[in-house]
Amino acid sequence: ASAGAIAVACHGCGLEGSAVVDATTELSAQCGTSNQLVEGLRHQMRQRIGPEEMNAIQSRPGKAGIAYQQVFPQIRPVIQTEFQDAEDLTQAVCFSSTFPFFSSPFPVALDNRGSFPRLVLDGFFSVPRDRLGCPDVKQMLAEEEEEASTIRTVCITPFPKDAFGLTAVETADCICPAVDLNNPEDQLREILRLATTPIESGGEAYSKMYEEGFLDAQNWVAQDSHASV
């Protein structure tokens, strides 16, 4: 959800990490502390995702899924895996990033792409609290009547797993930072600050966050015999 949806879209489209950090820095500078983050995100995606990037995500092996919660006409979680064009992908990511009155001035987003309008919001609300916004991929595959018993789901979060209540996922199946045992309170405070407060000159901070996330992934790979980067 939210950041995860952005990461999935960017990775699926083949965007370089440095380009994503630049876009994040621009978005942070443009939006400041306002609740216009979704519109800023929409602008950045329209600038950076074109036909070539869409061909990359549409032709890649496997699926790229964007999760959001539908609240009308019926309440149900959605994991969208088919995208007609760049605007369709952008809409899905923006729906997954619509956190009421924080990233948007409205409580929900209007999805009028189909024959009947829907009301949707952030993918965080599409799963139980103990998943911390991480979609249940096995459930998605089961609903599509595909073989899900051999699928391994690895969750990725910028938050220390146990400190934020991500209890639905085993430690071996989660890429995340370790708790700083020497100063856990300052670590959590800084993570929350970066996650909720746009930084107008945040290029260095966002680059550091990206690099630390890459190190988290490398550490996970080093401990898992079935993984590779």
Side-chain angles (χ1 to χ4, degrees):
S2 302
I6 298 169
V8 165
C10 293
H11 180 71
C13 288
L15 297 181
E16 294 291 335
S18 57
V20 179
V21 171
D22 289 344
T24 303
T25 303
E26 290 180 17
L27 174 61
S28 181
Q30 291 167 0
C31 294
T33 57
S34 73
N35 55 8
Q36 298 295 324
L37 288 170
V38 167
E39 286 309 308
L41 171 62
R42 193 188 311 278
H43 173 73
Q44 290 294 332
M45 292 189 67
R46 285 173 174 169
Q47 280 192 317
R48 299 171 188 274
I49 298 179
E52 182 178 347
E53 289 75 21
M54 280 308 300
N55 180 64
I57 196 170
Q58 289 172 328
S59 61
R60 68 187 301 276
K63 295 183 177 181
I66 305 297
Y68 48 90
Q69 175 74 355
Q70 177 181 297
V71 295
F72 179 85
Q74 63 181 145
I75 298 176
R76 69 181 185 92
V78 176
I79 300 182
Q80 183 176 336
T81 58
E82 300 291 336
F83 309 98
Q84 296 181 359
D85 51 32
E87 188 63 21
D88 192 25
L89 174 63
T90 296
Q91 285 284 67
V93 173
C94 288
F95 293 155
S96 185
S97 304
T98 300
F99 203 96
F101 306 115
F102 173 69
S103 59
S104 166
F106 307 107
V108 295
L110 174 64
D111 180 7
N112 56 10
R113 295 173 297 174
S115 58
F116 192 85
R118 302 185 300 166
L119 298 179
V120 298
L121 74 164
D122 197 296
F124 177 85
F125 301 101
S126 67
V127 292
R129 170 65 181 81
D130 61 1
R131 292 194 67 84
L132 203 63
C134 294
D136 190 338
V137 179
K138 285 188 176 181
Q139 181 184 33
M140 175 190 74
L141 295 175
E143 289 176 353
E144 297 181 1
E145 298 182 354
E146 297 185 22
E147 181 57 49
S149 61
T150 60
I151 296 294
R152 179 185 183 189
T153 300
V154 178
C155 295
I156 305 173
T157 175
F159 307 113
K161 172 185 175 297
D162 295 328
F164 279 79
L166 182 53
T167 57
V169 179
E170 297 293 332
T171 299
D173 293 332
C174 186
I175 299 174
C176 65
V179 174
D180 183 351
L181 298 179
N182 294 321
N183 205 342
E185 292 184 359
D186 283 353
Q187 178 196 25
L188 298 184
R189 190 179 297 113
E190 177 64 7
I191 291 173
L192 286 173
R193 183 183 73 86
L194 290 170
T196 60
T197 307
I199 306 172
E200 292 188 7
S201 56
E204 183 177 345
Y206 295 133
S207 293
K208 181 173 180 288
M209 179 185 292
Y210 176 83
E211 292 166 1
E212 289 176 347
F214 194 87
L215 288 175
D216 292 336
Q218 286 185 318
N219 291 334
W220 179 81
V221 169
Q223 298 173 24
D224 193 290
S225 60
H226 301 290
S228 62
V229 171

